[in-house]
Amino acid sequence: MNYLSNILFVIVLVIGIFMFAKNMGKLIRNVKLGRNVDRSDNSSERWKTVLWVALGQSKMTKKPLAGLLHIIVYAGFIIINVELLEIIIDGVFGTHRVFLEPLGSLYPFLINAFEILAFLVIVSVVIFWLRRNILKLTRFHKPEMKGWAFNDANNILYIETLLMSAFLIMNATDWNLQQLGAEHYHATGQFAISQFISPLLSGMSEISLIVLERGMWWFHIVGILFFMNYLYWSKHLHILFAFPNTYYSKLTPRGELDNLEAVTTEVKMMMDPDADPYAVPEGDEEEPGKLGASDVLDLNWVQLMNAYTCTECGRCTNVCPANETGKLLSPRNIMMKTRDRLEEVGKIVDEKGKFEDDGKSLLNDYITPEELWACTTCNACTDACPVLIDPISIIMDLRRYLVLEQSAAPTELNMMMTNIENNGAPWQYSPSDRLNWKDEE
Amino acid sequence: MSDRNLLRVPTMAELTAEGKNPDILFWVGCAGSYDDRAKKITRSFVKILNSAGVNFGVLGSEESCTGDPAKRAGNEFLFQMQAMTNIEVLNAYDVKRVVTACPHCFNTIKNEYPKLGGNYEVIHHTQLLQDLIDQGKLTLEGGEYKGKRITFHDPCYLGRANDIYEAPRNLIKQMEGELLEMNSCKSDAMCCGAGGAQMFKEAENGDEEVFEARTKQAIDANPDIIATGCPFCNTMLTDGIKMKDLNDQIKVLDIAEIIVKANNL
Ligand code: SF4
Ligand code: SF4
């Protein structure tokens, strides 16, 4: 009988971790569906970025209140989960508060710290909830934030509150049980926050206290396992993906767009007076690659990882001049739609073993040309993003496809480009007039 | 035309024929070459270069669009054609340093040309102006701008794109202008709406134009002058001010123009 709960615990733990690993494997496989891009350079600079931006959350300080609350929730959440180690050992071996003895007086200090953090997490989460649901900050109520995106954000707040409450209630009941002299409940003294909950439970019998205490203990660990598995469906994936995402972020100046290498080869050939225009390029029988992107498989893996990392915070959309002036473009939505399409493509790969055309694509079915053409490439979005996501690179790759593969630029842009081709300026002026300004006034 | 309106603008071809190689190439850019408003900025900058005795050259008819608007419109092919043609010309003249008054040209030549074989030290004209002051070749006299309320609009391709915020501001301060910041400035500055090839097309449907929104922010700072360092921003904000019927109260000027007027060059 005694072993039943240990066995049950191990089963729950193994299933939880197994499912989590499986989901993560799927996410990583999906990211790897992207084209290759080399970000293996400059590892010291990259580690610095991870420490500063992901761990240090340097970008979050721009909005001081949100930044402070976020760091509390984040740090609180991570630190309190050190408790998890004790829970797992207790669960597997049927011990109770196994660290109490070896840690001695350090133990109550730690639990006190955890409790205070848990309390601060709850306070922060409540403020977050109010900002989202009562104050209705505009960035949380843009069109792309309807339905799942909106519920997801609240779900996380609820899960966090429940987990933290379970931890506090568990400690409170533990103390009440100590007072009743219940078996296994070693004296720990009262803790900073749970001491205020204990009196509320004072009338309860030993058996109902034990049920409550065990219930909260189980809730805590099952809740964590549930949360880990929830990440797969959630914007909360950023608690993991923020690290690789910042590591592999773009280090070059924001204004620099990549030069398409396939085009470079072609242009060099064209400009080389010695090149034979009819020569068949050696050794490459394959179709020349598609220029730009029409679907997620044409994007590179960093762009796909960006999509999974997006926290849907809307800092980008909030400062996007196109969005601010009422245009359809929302950089957050570009990332959300990329993730949605990638999920869809991932499901096809799950079923068929590889991607098969489903008659849909990221371009048009998810992201419309109207959104793409509204971007001024101003970099407000990339500057604002707390996890260094680059929506412009996706916008640009889709534009490239529209122009290079479909010749589908807006008419005025075609005129501008024709002018550049014909007379080396976006307007119709002759190169011989370039110095006219010298003598005008 | 009076004498002081005569600009000395040697072309690289002329200089090379005389066996000379200037210290720096002034990349004028398409707006600076052809746009009526931007040409005034170009002339102002050259006046300063002339008076400071800077040994520079221009490409004249050998200059061609950097390809920035084509690239940002998605036409990588046209961009690289332009880039490689320009790089060939620049390399043939053995250009080492480039200065430009256009942040778009600045960004493209500085960041996107190197991987195509064009490696130069590229600076924005506000940076060169500061260098001239530091070297004692240019002294700023506040003149009519002393105490004037001046706000600086950060061009995206100078600010966020390349992290240059201070050079233009320092110039304003040295003229003893009263530097006012808009609510969103520096890395938070709102775009004027011209970048990413938007300059050349109608805007998508929305509530208002980006330049209107940005102009409102500038007006809210209550300036006498909106200073900027980009011919495209200049056009957009000038339009915005006109639309609000404020062109008598608020002037949109490039930093180089302010210096020329203040120093009475
Ligand atoms: S770069 Fe484009 S998407 Fe990003 S903020 Fe500017 S206009 Fe919006
Ligand atoms: S792209 Fe970045 S700034 Fe925009 S919503 Fe996602 S995480 Fe937030």
Side-chain angles (χ1 to χ4, degrees):
Chain A
M1 175 64 202
N2 237 348
Y3 287 109
L4 201 62
S5 81
N6 305 31
I7 292 167
L8 190 64
F9 179 84
V10 172
I11 292 174
V12 169
L13 191 68
V14 168
I15 292 179
I17 291 175
F18 175 77
M19 279 170 35
F20 173 72
K22 201 176 143 201
N23 284 339
M24 285 305 127
K26 214 180 259 186
L27 292 179
I28 292 167
R29 181 208 63 194
N30 285 357
V31 165
K32 284 189 174 160
L33 292 174
R35 284 184 181 175
N36 198 28
V37 56
D38 185 18
R39 294 274 163 97
S40 59
D41 59 326
N42 223 334
S43 64
S44 67
E45 181 74 26
R46 294 186 178 282
W47 279 115
K48 243 184 264 161
T49 313
V50 173
L51 282 181
W52 186 236
V53 180
L55 204 62
Q57 300 184 13
S58 58
K59 288 264 171 186
M60 295 292 288
T61 53
K62 229 176 192 161
K63 295 186 184 294
L65 176 67
L68 179 71
L69 297 175
H70 187 268
I71 201 109
I72 291 175
V73 173
Y74 165 76
F77 198 78
I78 301 285
I79 295 170
I80 292 161
N81 282 327
V82 173
E83 250 284 292
L84 220 57
L85 195 61
E86 186 178 49
I87 292 191
I88 291 174
I89 297 175
D90 282 349
V92 173
F93 298 103
T95 47
H96 184 70
R97 294 196 183 263
V98 66
F99 290 155
L100 178 58
E101 241 190 73
L103 290 183
S105 61
L106 193 61
Y107 189 82
F109 171 79
L110 282 177
I111 302 289
N112 272 324
F114 294 167
E115 284 208 349
I116 291 168
L117 275 170
F119 178 70
L120 288 175
V121 169
I122 294 176
V123 172
S124 307
V125 164
V126 168
I127 300 176
F128 276 149
W129 187 88
L130 290 172
R131 282 157 55 92
R132 228 170 241 279
N133 297 278
I134 307 296
L135 298 177
K136 291 194 187 288
L137 261 59
T138 48
R139 69 184 157 106
F140 301 135
H141 291 272
K142 298 269 176 183
E144 67 266 23
M145 292 309 286
K146 299 221 158 52
W148 173 249
F150 186 75
N151 294 333
D152 175 31
N154 275 337
N155 290 347
I156 292 156
L157 299 179
Y158 302 141
I159 297 173
E160 262 156 16
T161 313
L162 290 175
L163 286 174
M164 295 301 124
S165 308
F167 173 66
L168 294 174
I169 296 172
M170 177 182 88
N171 286 345
T173 42
D174 197 301
W175 190 76
N176 287 24
L177 283 161
Q178 292 165 31
Q179 300 312 298
L180 296 177
E183 214 187 327
H184 302 312
Y185 289 91
H186 320 293
T188 59
Q190 275 192 307
F191 297 120
I193 305 294
S194 58
Q195 59 174 322
F196 299 107
I197 306 175
S198 288
L200 306 174
L201 311 169
S202 59
M204 289 172 75
S205 68
E206 182 174 325
I207 188 75
S208 32
L209 278 173
I210 291 179
V211 169
L212 186 60
E213 195 274 336
R214 286 293 86 192
M216 289 299 124
W217 185 90
W218 275 98
F219 185 88
H220 194 79
I221 182 69
V222 175
I224 298 274
L225 291 172
F226 173 82
F227 183 77
M228 277 164 58
N229 281 286
Y230 179 81
L231 292 182
Y232 180 76
W233 315 99
S234 170
K235 64 148 184 153
H236 229 61
L237 196 53
H238 75 268
I239 62 170
L240 302 173
F241 272 51
F243 295 91
N245 199 71
T246 46
Y247 184 87
Y248 291 112
S249 63
K250 169 175 159 183
L251 296 180
T252 47
R254 279 194 207 94
E256 177 181 340
L257 292 178
D258 62 334
N259 293 326
L260 279 187
E261 274 168 40
V263 172
T264 311
T265 324
E266 217 170 313
V267 172
K268 278 200 176 134
M269 279 257 300
M270 283 180 58
M271 290 184 56
D272 181 0
D274 303 328
D276 173 2
Y278 302 106
V280 183
E282 272 172 67
D284 92 72
E285 310 271 296
E286 304 168 45
E287 285 260 310
K290 191 197 275 181
L291 295 174
S294 64
D295 208 348
V296 284
L297 298 179
D298 308 324
L299 296 172
N300 66 49
W301 61 269
V302 172
Q303 292 168 315
L304 299 185
M305 180 169 61
N306 276 185
Y308 275 130
T309 311
C310 177
T311 74
E312 296 171 18
C313 69
R315 281 170 172 74
C316 54
T317 295
N318 214 23
V319 293
C320 170
N323 193 276
E324 270 184 275
T325 54
K327 277 100 188 166
L328 205 56
L329 171 63
S330 157
R332 165 173 57 191
N333 208 6
I334 298 287
M335 301 319 299
M336 290 170 72
K337 290 189 209 174
T338 304
R339 179 173 177 171
D340 289 347
R341 175 58 183 160
L342 181 55
E343 276 300 293
E344 193 173 58
V345 166
K347 283 207 188 94
I348 296 174
V349 177
D350 284 344
E351 283 166 20
K352 317 239 161 123
K354 62 176 179 34
F355 178 67
E356 280 175 24
D357 190 9
D358 61 343
K360 286 206 225 163
S361 65
L362 180 64
L363 180 67
N364 296 323
D365 294 304
Y366 286 79
I367 300 174
T368 59
E370 181 180 345
E371 291 161 82
L372 298 173
W373 291 118
C375 175
T376 70
T377 67
C378 71
N379 272 298
C381 51
T382 58
D383 181 64
C385 183
V387 286
L388 306 182
I389 286 169
D390 181 5
I392 307 176
S393 74
I394 297 182
I395 294 173
M396 281 310 308
D397 280 341
L398 294 172
R399 274 189 187 182
R400 284 169 174 170
Y401 178 83
L402 280 173
V403 172
L404 297 173
E405 299 281 352
Q406 303 205 305
S407 308
T411 327
E412 305 111 300
L413 289 188
N414 279 331
M415 276 160 49
M416 174 271 286
M417 292 187 282
T418 311
N419 289 334
I420 294 180
E421 255 171 78
N422 293 343
N423 47 274
W427 303 284
Q428 254 186 0
Y429 294 108
S430 154
S432 58
D433 291 339
R434 263 203 189 256
L435 265 183
N436 287 1
W437 54 267
K438 185 175 118 174
D439 307 310
E440 289 170 7
E441 182 139 55
Chain B
M1 202 187 282
S2 73
D3 244 15
R4 47 183 273 236
N5 277 335
L6 269 183
L7 303 179
R8 291 186 306 279
V9 192
T11 63
M12 293 302 281
E14 290 160 8
L15 290 167
T16 310
E18 294 165 26
K20 294 183 194 153
N21 196 359
D23 300 333
I24 194 160
L25 173 90
F26 172 29
W27 183 276
V28 184
C30 299
S33 303
Y34 297 119
D35 179 85
D36 283 337
R37 178 68 190 82
K39 281 195 272 190
K40 298 208 170 92
I41 302 172
T42 309
R43 288 184 60 87
S44 297
F45 181 54
V46 169
K47 276 183 194 168
I48 304 173
L49 293 179
N50 282 169
S51 91
V54 177
N55 177 13
F56 75 99
V58 298
L59 284 174
S61 57
E62 289 184 281
E63 188 182 294
S64 191
C65 174
T66 58
D68 160 85
K71 185 177 183 82
R72 277 149 185 88
N75 196 336
E76 183 68 12
F77 199 84
L78 180 54
F79 161 71
Q80 292 200 13
M81 291 286 289
Q82 288 298 117
M84 288 194 207
T85 315
N86 284 327
I87 290 168
E88 246 177 15
V89 174
L90 291 167
N91 288 353
Y93 284 122
D94 197 22
V95 169
K96 298 274 185 295
R97 294 183 84 207
V98 178
V99 62
T100 175
C102 173
H104 296 266
C105 299
F106 169 75
N107 178 70
T108 305
I109 303 174
K110 175 173 171 287
N111 296 325
E112 288 161 4
Y113 278 19
K115 287 189 185 118
L116 299 172
N119 293 288
Y120 323 102
E121 184 202 337
V122 188
I123 56 175
H124 185 244
H125 71 314
T126 55
Q127 294 175 304
L128 182 70
L129 294 173
Q130 186 59 53
D131 286 350
L132 293 178
I133 294 169
D134 295 344
Q135 294 161 9
K137 292 183 182 161
L138 172 69
T139 341
L140 290 190
E141 300 152 26
E144 57 176 298
Y145 294 98
K146 212 174 256 180
K148 276 267 160 64
R149 303 163 59 84
I150 306 177
T151 189
F152 183 72
H153 162 78
D154 291 276
C156 302
Y157 275 89
L158 192 61
R160 269 187 304 275
N162 290 293
D163 288 320
I164 296 168
Y165 301 106
E166 293 312 323
R169 285 182 169 76
N170 285 337
L171 293 169
I172 295 173
K173 285 186 207 149
Q174 288 163 66
M175 276 182 289
E176 294 172 59
E178 186 188 341
L179 178 63
L180 309 164
E181 292 295 358
M182 296 183 224
N183 274 339
S184 58
C185 61
K186 300 188 182 170
S187 65
D188 295 331
M190 187 189 196
C191 175
C192 72
Q198 297 295 331
M199 181 74 188
F200 305 97
K201 62 182 262 298
E202 290 299 315
E204 277 60 36
N205 278 334
D207 308 328
E208 63 179 337
E209 297 272 359
V210 175
F211 72 83
E212 285 180 81
R214 183 54 171 168
T215 308
K216 272 191 223 154
Q217 296 178 355
I219 294 171
D220 285 343
N222 194 18
D224 302 315
I225 291 156
I226 303 172
T228 184
C230 170
F232 295 101
C233 298
N234 194 308
T235 304
M236 294 314 237
L237 295 170
T238 304
D239 285 353
I241 289 292
K242 267 192 211 136
M243 221 160 137
K244 292 264 170 224
D245 245 338
L246 286 171
N247 18 353
D248 288 337
Q249 288 96 312
I250 303 177
K251 298 266 168 285
V252 181
L253 294 172
D254 191 272
I255 300 269
E257 294 179 296
I258 300 180
I259 293 179
V260 164
K261 285 197 189 148
N263 281 18
N264 206 11
L265 293 177

